[in-house]
Amino acid sequence: MERMQRTSVVIIGAGPSGSVASAILKQHDIDCVILERSTFPRFSIGESLLPACMESLKKANMFEAVNQGGFQFKNGAAFRYQNQYTHFDFTQKYSDGEGTTFQVPRGPFDKLLADEAQKQGVPIRYQHTVTQVDVERDKPCLTVTDEVGVEYHIEADFILDASGYGRVLPRLLHLEQPSGLPPRIALFTHVTDNITPELASELNYDRNKITIYVHPDNQSVWYWLIPFTHGRCSVGVVGSPEFFEDYPQDEIAALKQLTREEPHLKLLFRDAEFCHMSGKIGGYSANVKHLATDNYALLGNAGEFLDPVFSSGVTIAMKSAEMAAETLIRKFNGEQVDWQKEYAEPLMVGVNTFRAYVEGWYDSRFQDVVFYENANPEIKKKISSILAGYAWDTTNPYVASPEKRLKTLAELCRNG
Ligand code: FAD
């Protein structure tokens, strides 16, 4: 392999943002190569998709493949707190676009997207790790270690950093900034749930929805229950580091105790078999000084990551991929592009919408809205749109002014 190589666009990482961006670029005959540190399939957290990401998959020509992928159908989100239950049906939403999606083990899902990108002609170099970057030169250049440990350099017109939690450019270029959100920890595992149709019906449990449980004694702690096919599901708990101090060090033991503390989950999991694999991830909320310059852009989690509560991560990752690819297409067509105005600012519209509702979730204003019993159907559709991932649709007033609208709505719900 040449020690000094050249291409138009180098993409770091073959997760959803990298695969989607590469496919859109390839459709416009822009040469790109993906450098991926792992081999696929590999585990990743982030298993519940939002319908809005199906729109990005259409642009990447991956929609059909995902529809045929045999994943668990999803049409909404259910919420439980003590004896309260509510749900949002994503087909009942204000914005145009798909109203259903899937819940996916990320190993096979990310591999499917990467394979689709390869079928469209994108070269993916697995086990190639980016170790250094030089963006001071005329053309940015990466230092890469290949699968046998040999180092080489690759120069490009533009770099897309889709490295997720690897956060390659933010780390190497010292772009990282503290997140405004307090540190939280997520503890998770996969379970053979043994939830029979009879039990599901008895307990009013809908497998076509993600269920978010609020801890009965602590409103800032929540659980996800993400069903997959074949009777498996993902379960996780998110709370402050202090909250977990009172639970066993053994992650599976802690998760078993926590699931028994939630009355509905306790019944639902009466025959569940926990697997031995568990994970713990903390300090995942992250921010950066800027999202793009004239020679690189940060996609998905390599840029900003907020919080998992509304399953927005993959949707933001794919939307950023779509927006960056479209901006690059204009650049390669000879147009003058302003990355701040044409990429970073439009992307932040959706990120900031989610941020308002995430903050509202933890200070309980949005929980009051979610569990409000006499919801106005038109308002509910607008909230459903955001929960379905249509957080860039500024014709929705709850997107156009999320903070102001949420404040008013929460007050109305609190006062009945
Ligand atoms: P990734 O999917 O992380 O892919 C990045 C790729 O880059 C990886 O394959 C990695 O191997 C590669 N890479 C890293 N470093 C290098 C390097 N140096 N060189 C080469 N390659 C490299 N999102 C949802 O949508 N739904 C959810 O239900 C959800 N739940 C979550 C729960 C928790 C607890 C957390 C923390 C997050 C959750 N997320 C969820 C967010 C989701 O995990 C991410 O937003 C999503 O995976 C981002 O995709 P990506 O393409 O940006 O990066």
Side-chain angles (χ1 to χ4, degrees):
M1 187 173 280
E2 289 282 323
R3 291 292 154 83
M4 185 55 163
Q5 304 174 21
R6 249 212 65 73
T7 187
S8 301
V9 181
V10 181
I11 301 174
I12 312 171
S17 57
S19 292
V20 165
S22 71
I24 298 175
L25 291 174
K26 198 70 201 168
Q27 285 159 25
H28 288 78
D29 290 327
I30 297 172
D31 278 334
C32 54
V33 55
I34 301 185
L35 307 173
E36 167 55 55
R37 164 174 80 179
S38 319
T39 51
F40 275 26
R42 52 96 180 91
F43 178 84
S44 176
I45 193 69
E47 297 148 327
S48 192
L49 305 180
L50 300 183
C53 77
M54 304 307 285
E55 298 297 326
S56 302
L57 290 169
K58 283 181 190 166
K59 295 197 173 150
N61 271 343
M62 296 176 178
F63 180 74
E64 274 316 314
V66 169
N67 271 325
Q68 304 298 321
F71 299 113
Q72 169 65 47
F73 177 78
K74 173 181 171 184
N75 63 11
F79 294 85
R80 287 187 180 273
Y81 174 45
Q82 297 177 341
N83 55 3
Q84 300 174 75
Y85 169 81
T86 188
H87 73 265
F88 287 80
D89 177 344
F90 291 159
T91 64
Q92 304 296 306
K93 62 174 169 43
Y94 164 85
S95 304
D96 292 337
E98 293 292 318
T100 65
T101 185
F102 299 97
Q103 322 227 54
V104 298
R106 287 285 300 280
F109 177 73
D110 289 14
K111 180 163 175 7
L112 185 145
L113 300 191
D115 289 351
E116 286 301 308
Q118 273 182 322
K119 279 187 209 158
Q120 295 182 39
V122 176
I124 303 183
R125 299 181 189 169
Y126 289 102
Q127 292 179 281
H128 284 226
T129 304
V130 174
T131 57
Q132 289 175 53
V133 61
D134 184 350
V135 288
E136 299 301 322
R137 307 153 37 110
D138 188 28
K139 305 249 182 217
C141 183
L142 295 174
T143 305
V144 187
T145 306
D146 73 10
E147 69 277 27
V148 289
V150 174
E151 196 168 84
Y152 67 94
H153 303 281
I154 184 161
E155 186 189 75
D157 295 310
F158 205 87
I159 299 172
L160 291 178
D161 184 357
S163 62
Y165 303 105
R167 298 176 64 74
V168 173
L169 294 195
R171 266 190 306 105
L172 296 174
L173 299 174
H174 309 291
L175 304 177
E176 294 190 296
Q177 282 200 323
S179 160
L181 297 162
R184 294 194 173 88
I185 286 177
L187 210 59
F188 50 88
T189 187
H190 286 178
V191 168
T192 301
D193 55 60
N194 292 319
I195 303 168
T196 59
E198 295 72 30
L199 184 64
S201 143
E202 185 190 321
L203 295 175
N204 188 22
Y205 172 63
D206 182 354
R207 230 187 152 85
N208 293 333
K209 295 184 173 59
I210 183 175
T211 304
I212 302 293
Y213 293 89
V214 179
H215 190 283
D217 305 322
N218 187 335
Q219 265 190 282
S220 67
V221 176
W222 60 274
Y223 307 59
W224 74 73
L225 178 59
I226 299 176
F228 300 136
T229 51
H230 306 298
R232 307 261 305 158
C233 67
S234 167
V235 62
V237 183
V238 176
S240 67
E242 301 76 49
F243 172 79
F244 287 103
E245 284 169 9
D246 295 336
Y247 290 85
Q249 285 287 314
D250 179 286
E251 290 163 5
I252 294 291
L255 282 163
K256 282 184 176 167
Q257 184 175 329
L258 280 155
T259 50
R260 281 195 302 267
E261 283 173 6
E262 207 299 318
H264 185 266
L265 202 45
K266 181 181 175 181
L267 293 173
L268 203 59
F269 269 14
R270 68 182 184 203
D271 297 321
E273 298 160 54
F274 283 68
C275 78
H276 299 297
M277 181 289 295
S278 64
K280 185 177 186 176
I281 176 167
Y284 39 71
S285 300
N287 205 344
V288 281
K289 286 184 192 150
H290 53 249
L291 283 172
T293 67
D294 285 339
N295 52 20
Y296 64 84
L298 311 178
L299 309 184
N301 274 35
E304 174 149 2
F305 181 67
L306 296 169
D307 187 273
V309 68
F310 301 127
S311 310
S312 55
V314 172
T315 297
I316 294 174
M318 290 190 188
K319 189 77 181 177
S320 67
E322 191 190 314
M323 287 176 161
E326 284 166 359
T327 311
L328 266 179
I329 291 161
R330 289 198 294 280
K331 176 184 160 78
F332 281 100
N333 280 341
E335 289 178 38
Q336 190 68 34
V337 299
D338 178 336
W339 281 89
Q340 184 58 25
K341 289 213 153 40
E342 293 173 53
Y343 173 66
E345 287 174 16
L347 177 62
M348 289 311 288
V349 168
V351 174
N352 286 333
T353 303
F354 280 119
R355 186 197 316 280
Y357 293 93
V358 164
E359 286 173 353
W361 174 265
Y362 286 103
D363 67 23
S364 89
R365 283 174 305 153
F366 192 52
Q367 293 191 29
D368 291 341
V369 171
V370 164
F371 289 109
Y372 184 60
E373 282 175 357
N374 302 315
N376 171 314
E378 290 311 311
I379 295 179
K380 190 157 181 174
K381 277 188 189 170
K382 292 182 174 123
I383 298 296
S384 185
S385 258
I386 296 169
L387 295 178
Y390 294 94
W392 288 265
D393 177 3
T394 48
T395 67
N396 181 347
Y398 290 85
V399 169
S401 354
E403 263 303 330
K404 201 172 114 208
R405 287 282 178 162
L406 174 59
K407 185 167 178 280
T408 312
L409 187 57
E411 277 163 14
L412 285 172
C413 294
R414 278 178 179 170
N415 298 329

